[in-house]
């Protein structure tokens, strides 16, 4: 594929990921160097590789690959975000927060690290911290449904019911698919019997 399409960085990434998955980290790093020579768009290929490894649930090799490129980890927003998500999935919450905080420092305009931090804080039952993280995400992007969803969950646990319902309503307004999640969400169970909660659920066809 590379021979036929030598300037397509997606082909290089496919091979980089294949090599990482097969525990050939040094070969993957060398291939990434080659990929960068064809990277006319300036895309973050290193971050994209870690994002793909997160999707593929390749936790161990993703961590090894990240550790092999400390200089890139200092500058890649996506790499730190993806590794934070990987650590979150593994229940390594302190490690996840460390990666997510670095990601937020690299890209101070992105709400996504703060949303992910809110998720981590909720898992740790750190409800006030979760509220602050969700509020920061909303401050950065007040049209991001997930920020309001995370805020509603944390506020519910703090028994700030009126504020929680308002945040949840805004979340559903921005993304009606949030209804599918909220009806099963443990942190929102205290709201489930309230009229304001039920009004957000569309009637059965």
């Amino acid at each position: 594929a590379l021979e036929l399409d030598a300037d397509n960085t997606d082909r290089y990434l496919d091979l980089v990921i294949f090599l990482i998955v097969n525990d050939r980290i040094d070969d993957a790093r060398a291939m990434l160097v080659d990929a960068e020579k064809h990277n006319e768009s300036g895309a973050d290929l290193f971050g994209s590789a870690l994002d793909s490894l997160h999707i593929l649930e390749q936790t161990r090799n993703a961590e090894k690959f990240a550790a092999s490129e400390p200089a890139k980890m200092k500058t890649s927003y996506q790499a730190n975000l993806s590794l934070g998500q990987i650590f979150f999935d593994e229940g390594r919450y302190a490690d996840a927060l460390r990666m997510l905080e670095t990601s937020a420092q690299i890209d101070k305009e992105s709400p996504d690290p703060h949303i992910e931090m809110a998720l981590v804080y909720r898992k740790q039952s750190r409800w006030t911290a979760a509220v602050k993280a969700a509020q920061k995400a909303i401050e950065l992007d007040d049209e991001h449904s997930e920020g309001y969803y995370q805020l509603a969950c944390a506020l519910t646990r703090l028994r700030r019911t009126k504020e929680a319902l308002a945040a949840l309503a805004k979340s559903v307004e921005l993304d009606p698919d949030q209804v599918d999640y909220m009806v099963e969400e443990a942190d929102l169970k205290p709201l489930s019997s309230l009229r304001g909660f039920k009004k957000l659920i569309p009637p059965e066809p």
Side-chain angles (χ1 to χ4, degrees):
L2 281 172
E3 288 175 4
L4 294 170
D5 196 7
D7 290 325
N8 189 333
T9 53
D10 288 342
R11 303 289 174 262
Y12 286 92
L13 274 177
D14 289 342
L15 187 49
V16 167
I17 293 161
F18 174 82
L19 291 167
I20 296 169
V21 168
N22 285 278
D23 205 18
R24 294 170 58 181
I25 304 299
D26 289 341
D27 291 337
R29 293 178 64 202
M31 185 56 59
L32 188 65
V33 171
D34 289 341
E36 292 291 359
K37 296 174 183 176
H38 300 269
N39 186 17
E40 295 181 359
S41 70
D44 181 3
L45 302 182
F46 176 69
S48 294
L50 278 165
D51 185 43
S52 294
L53 293 168
H54 171 229
I55 294 169
L56 294 170
E57 299 181 353
Q58 289 291 325
T59 303
R60 183 177 65 86
N61 285 336
E63 188 172 3
K64 289 173 66 176
F65 182 58
S68 76
E69 294 283 5
K72 285 185 170 63
M73 286 301 297
K74 290 180 180 179
T75 60
S76 174
Y77 156 81
Q78 184 61 58
N80 283 279
L81 179 65
S82 296
L83 195 57
Q85 292 169 321
I86 288 169
F87 288 153
F88 172 78
D89 293 342
E90 291 287 298
R92 295 167 57 182
Y93 300 135
D95 290 332
L97 285 171
R98 180 167 49 85
M99 295 293 104
L100 295 170
E101 286 166 358
T102 300
S103 182
Q105 290 166 8
I106 294 170
D107 185 348
K108 293 181 170 59
E109 301 302 316
S110 175
D112 293 336
H114 302 282
I115 288 171
E116 296 295 330
M117 281 188 264
L119 274 165
V120 176
Y121 290 135
R122 285 173 54 207
K123 284 291 185 180
Q124 296 177 314
S125 299
R126 296 169 63 185
W127 311 117
T128 300
V131 166
K132 291 180 179 178
Q135 287 173 332
K136 181 63 177 179
I138 293 167
E139 176 187 323
L140 291 168
D141 183 358
D142 62 3
E143 296 295 313
H144 200 315
S145 170
E146 192 62 27
Y148 292 98
Y149 186 88
Q150 296 302 321
L151 181 60
C153 290
L155 288 171
T156 300
R157 288 294 194 173
L158 291 171
R159 300 181 181 179
R160 293 163 60 178
T161 302
K162 186 176 180 179
E163 295 169 85
L165 281 171
L168 190 60
K170 184 64 175 179
S171 176
V172 172
E173 175 190 331
L174 292 169
D175 180 5
D177 288 342
Q178 293 284 23
V179 171
D180 297 334
Y181 302 101
M182 76 183 207
V183 295
E184 301 295 334
E185 178 64 64
D187 286 343
L188 295 175
K189 287 297 182 186
L191 303 182
S192 60
S193 63
L194 301 179
R195 184 171 61 179
F197 184 93
K198 294 176 180 178
K199 284 174 61 177
L200 298 175
I201 303 172
E204 293 288 338

